[in-house]
mmCIF file of all heavy atoms in Angstrom:
data_model
loop_
_atom_site.group_PDB
_atom_site.id
_atom_site.type_symbol
_atom_site.label_atom_id
_atom_site.label_comp_id
_atom_site.label_asym_id
_atom_site.label_seq_id
_atom_site.Cartn_x
_atom_site.Cartn_y
_atom_site.Cartn_z
ATOM 1 N N THR A 1215 0.685 19.418 14.258
ATOM 2 C CA THR A 1215 1.638 18.571 15.028
ATOM 3 C C THR A 1215 2.374 17.838 14.009
ATOM 4 O O THR A 1215 3.752 17.458 14.172
ATOM 5 C CB THR A 1215 0.952 17.647 15.982
ATOM 6 O OG1 THR A 1215 0.043 18.399 16.854
ATOM 7 C CG2 THR A 1215 1.945 16.886 16.839
ATOM 8 N N HIS A 1218 5.286 19.864 13.209
ATOM 9 C CA HIS A 1218 6.428 19.883 14.183
ATOM 10 C C HIS A 1218 7.210 18.527 13.977
ATOM 11 O O HIS A 1218 8.433 18.515 14.111
ATOM 12 C CB HIS A 1218 5.722 19.730 15.644
ATOM 13 C CG HIS A 1218 5.056 20.952 16.138
ATOM 14 N ND1 HIS A 1218 5.773 22.156 16.240
ATOM 15 C CD2 HIS A 1218 3.854 21.212 16.516
ATOM 16 C CE1 HIS A 1218 4.857 23.207 16.603
ATOM 17 N NE2 HIS A 1218 3.669 22.520 16.812
ATOM 18 N N ASP A 1330 -9.218 15.079 15.541
ATOM 19 C CA ASP A 1330 -8.240 15.769 16.318
ATOM 20 C C ASP A 1330 -8.572 17.170 16.594
ATOM 21 O O ASP A 1330 -8.804 17.581 17.698
ATOM 22 C CB ASP A 1330 -6.836 15.498 15.646
ATOM 23 C CG ASP A 1330 -5.766 16.358 16.336
ATOM 24 O OD1 ASP A 1330 -6.047 16.971 17.318
ATOM 25 O OD2 ASP A 1330 -4.672 16.173 15.901
ATOM 26 N N PRO A 1357 -6.385 26.234 12.815
ATOM 27 C CA PRO A 1357 -7.624 25.289 13.047
ATOM 28 C C PRO A 1357 -7.853 24.973 14.346
ATOM 29 O O PRO A 1357 -9.047 24.911 14.747
ATOM 30 C CB PRO A 1357 -7.002 24.140 12.246
ATOM 31 C CG PRO A 1357 -6.100 24.622 11.155
ATOM 32 C CD PRO A 1357 -5.446 25.792 11.832
ATOM 33 N N ILE A 1358 -6.819 24.762 15.249
ATOM 34 C CA ILE A 1358 -7.096 24.462 16.659
ATOM 35 C C ILE A 1358 -7.772 25.554 17.380
ATOM 36 O O ILE A 1358 -8.763 25.349 18.103
ATOM 37 C CB ILE A 1358 -5.749 24.072 17.308
ATOM 38 C CG1 ILE A 1358 -5.117 22.727 16.769
ATOM 39 C CG2 ILE A 1358 -5.922 23.876 18.856
ATOM 40 C CD1 ILE A 1358 -5.679 21.480 17.025
ATOM 41 N N ASP A 1378 -4.963 36.604 16.335
ATOM 42 C CA ASP A 1378 -4.112 36.033 15.260
ATOM 43 C C ASP A 1378 -3.529 37.199 14.475
ATOM 44 O O ASP A 1378 -3.747 38.370 14.982
ATOM 45 C CB ASP A 1378 -4.962 35.088 14.343
ATOM 46 C CG ASP A 1378 -4.049 34.068 13.744
ATOM 47 O OD1 ASP A 1378 -3.263 34.513 12.814
ATOM 48 O OD2 ASP A 1378 -4.117 32.987 14.080
ATOM 49 N N ARG A 1383 -7.693 34.387 8.644
ATOM 50 C CA ARG A 1383 -8.027 33.696 9.701
ATOM 51 C C ARG A 1383 -8.825 34.535 10.792
ATOM 52 O O ARG A 1383 -9.773 33.927 11.458
ATOM 53 C CB ARG A 1383 -6.784 33.037 10.408
ATOM 54 C CG ARG A 1383 -6.195 32.023 9.595
ATOM 55 C CD ARG A 1383 -4.936 31.428 10.001
ATOM 56 N NE ARG A 1383 -4.543 30.378 8.989
ATOM 57 C CZ ARG A 1383 -3.878 29.300 9.327
ATOM 58 N NH1 ARG A 1383 -3.396 29.123 10.596
ATOM 59 N NH2 ARG A 1383 -3.677 28.317 8.356
ATOM 60 N N TYR A 1398 -2.398 40.667 16.301
ATOM 61 C CA TYR A 1398 -1.263 40.939 17.257
ATOM 62 C C TYR A 1398 -0.267 41.712 16.646
ATOM 63 O O TYR A 1398 0.659 42.333 17.226
ATOM 64 C CB TYR A 1398 -0.665 39.601 17.784
ATOM 65 C CG TYR A 1398 0.123 38.782 16.681
ATOM 66 C CD1 TYR A 1398 1.480 39.064 16.470
ATOM 67 C CD2 TYR A 1398 -0.503 37.790 16.038
ATOM 68 C CE1 TYR A 1398 2.070 38.344 15.521
ATOM 69 C CE2 TYR A 1398 0.166 37.063 15.022
ATOM 70 C CZ TYR A 1398 1.408 37.393 14.762
ATOM 71 O OH TYR A 1398 2.192 36.659 13.805
ATOM 72 N N ALA A 1421 -3.308 28.387 21.898
ATOM 73 C CA ALA A 1421 -3.386 27.497 20.750
ATOM 74 C C ALA A 1421 -2.364 27.560 19.693
ATOM 75 O O ALA A 1421 -2.573 27.453 18.577
ATOM 76 C CB ALA A 1421 -4.802 27.579 20.058
ATOM 77 N N LEU A 1422 -1.102 27.670 20.239
ATOM 78 C CA LEU A 1422 0.146 27.911 19.234
ATOM 79 C C LEU A 1422 1.255 27.126 19.719
ATOM 80 O O LEU A 1422 1.810 26.253 18.964
ATOM 81 C CB LEU A 1422 0.426 29.278 19.026
ATOM 82 C CG LEU A 1422 1.456 29.532 17.938
ATOM 83 C CD1 LEU A 1422 1.120 28.972 16.557
ATOM 84 C CD2 LEU A 1422 1.896 31.017 17.825
ATOM 85 N N LEU A 1444 -3.094 24.483 24.885
ATOM 86 C CA LEU A 1444 -3.304 23.371 23.835
ATOM 87 C C LEU A 1444 -2.042 23.160 22.992
ATOM 88 O O LEU A 1444 -1.800 22.213 22.277
ATOM 89 C CB LEU A 1444 -4.400 23.673 22.975
ATOM 90 C CG LEU A 1444 -5.768 23.558 23.516
ATOM 91 C CD1 LEU A 1444 -6.861 24.160 22.511
ATOM 92 C CD2 LEU A 1444 -6.148 22.221 23.866
ATOM 93 N N VAL A 1446 1.673 22.615 21.222
ATOM 94 C CA VAL A 1446 2.764 21.729 21.485
ATOM 95 C C VAL A 1446 4.019 22.573 21.487
ATOM 96 O O VAL A 1446 4.384 23.306 20.567
ATOM 97 C CB VAL A 1446 2.864 20.617 20.266
ATOM 98 C CG1 VAL A 1446 4.064 19.947 20.421
ATOM 99 C CG2 VAL A 1446 1.643 19.846 20.299
ATOM 100 N N THR A 1470 -4.200 20.113 27.782
ATOM 101 C CA THR A 1470 -5.032 19.033 27.321
ATOM 102 C C THR A 1470 -4.561 18.361 25.992
ATOM 103 O O THR A 1470 -4.081 19.103 25.070
ATOM 104 C CB THR A 1470 -6.399 19.729 26.883
ATOM 105 O OG1 THR A 1470 -6.978 20.448 27.955
ATOM 106 C CG2 THR A 1470 -7.483 18.613 26.335
ATOM 107 N N CYS A 1472 -5.637 16.034 22.956
ATOM 108 C CA CYS A 1472 -6.855 15.642 22.358
ATOM 109 C C CYS A 1472 -7.723 14.535 23.029
ATOM 110 O O CYS A 1472 -7.170 13.441 23.021
ATOM 111 C CB CYS A 1472 -6.398 15.417 20.854
ATOM 112 S SG CYS A 1472 -7.852 14.716 19.808
ATOM 113 N N ARG A 1516 1.138 28.193 4.978
ATOM 114 C CA ARG A 1516 0.039 29.050 5.224
ATOM 115 C C ARG A 1516 -0.392 29.854 4.006
ATOM 116 O O ARG A 1516 -1.072 30.856 4.165
ATOM 117 C CB ARG A 1516 -0.034 29.845 6.480
ATOM 118 C CG ARG A 1516 0.158 29.026 7.718
ATOM 119 C CD ARG A 1516 0.054 29.929 8.989
ATOM 120 N NE ARG A 1516 0.539 29.259 10.084
ATOM 121 C CZ ARG A 1516 1.398 29.740 10.929
ATOM 122 N NH1 ARG A 1516 1.872 30.950 10.833
ATOM 123 N NH2 ARG A 1516 1.892 29.096 11.955
HETATM 124 N N1 NAD B 188 -3.123 19.611 22.479
HETATM 125 C C1 NAD B 188 -3.311 18.684 21.412
HETATM 126 O O1 NAD B 188 -3.831 17.597 21.623
HETATM 127 C C2 NAD B 188 -3.002 19.245 20.010
HETATM 128 C C3 NAD B 188 -3.543 18.576 18.917
HETATM 129 C C4 NAD B 188 -3.410 19.068 17.729
HETATM 130 C C5 NAD B 188 -2.440 20.191 17.526
HETATM 131 N N2 NAD B 188 -1.952 20.756 18.510
HETATM 132 C C6 NAD B 188 -1.011 21.943 18.496
HETATM 133 O O2 NAD B 188 -1.762 23.076 18.416
HETATM 134 C C7 NAD B 188 -1.007 24.154 17.796
HETATM 135 C C8 NAD B 188 -1.864 24.754 16.798
HETATM 136 O O3 NAD B 188 -2.113 23.963 15.700
HETATM 137 P P1 NAD B 188 -2.829 24.503 14.376
HETATM 138 O O4 NAD B 188 -2.983 23.462 13.356
HETATM 139 O O5 NAD B 188 -3.917 25.414 14.689
HETATM 140 O O6 NAD B 188 -1.573 25.450 13.896
HETATM 141 P P2 NAD B 188 -1.274 26.433 12.713
HETATM 142 O O7 NAD B 188 0.195 26.582 12.556
HETATM 143 O O8 NAD B 188 -2.187 26.214 11.524
HETATM 144 O O9 NAD B 188 -1.889 27.845 13.243
HETATM 145 C C9 NAD B 188 -1.127 28.692 14.082
HETATM 146 C C10 NAD B 188 -1.696 30.199 14.019
HETATM 147 O O10 NAD B 188 -1.047 30.987 14.909
HETATM 148 C C11 NAD B 188 -0.988 32.194 14.381
HETATM 149 N N3 NAD B 188 -0.034 33.032 15.210
HETATM 150 C C12 NAD B 188 1.418 33.010 14.979
HETATM 151 N N4 NAD B 188 1.933 33.805 15.838
HETATM 152 C C13 NAD B 188 1.026 34.295 16.696
HETATM 153 C C14 NAD B 188 0.904 35.227 17.854
HETATM 154 N N5 NAD B 188 2.115 35.721 18.372
HETATM 155 N N6 NAD B 188 -0.253 35.362 18.457
HETATM 156 C C15 NAD B 188 -1.366 34.909 17.877
HETATM 157 N N7 NAD B 188 -1.398 34.076 16.861
HETATM 158 C C16 NAD B 188 -0.310 33.786 16.225
HETATM 159 C C17 NAD B 188 -0.681 32.033 13.024
HETATM 160 O O11 NAD B 188 -1.140 33.268 12.174
HETATM 161 C C18 NAD B 188 -1.638 30.939 12.566
HETATM 162 O O12 NAD B 188 -2.981 31.252 12.084
HETATM 163 C C19 NAD B 188 0.302 23.421 17.268
HETATM 164 O O13 NAD B 188 1.228 23.688 18.215
HETATM 165 C C20 NAD B 188 -0.143 21.952 17.284
HETATM 166 O O14 NAD B 188 1.048 21.188 17.349
HETATM 167 C C21 NAD B 188 -2.154 20.372 19.879
#
Side-chain angles (χ1 to χ4, degrees):
T1215 305
H1218 291 303
D1330 180 352
I1358 298 281
D1378 205 287
R1383 291 177 177 209
Y1398 74 86
L1422 182 62
L1444 291 173
V1446 173
T1470 305
C1472 171
R1516 294 189 200 130

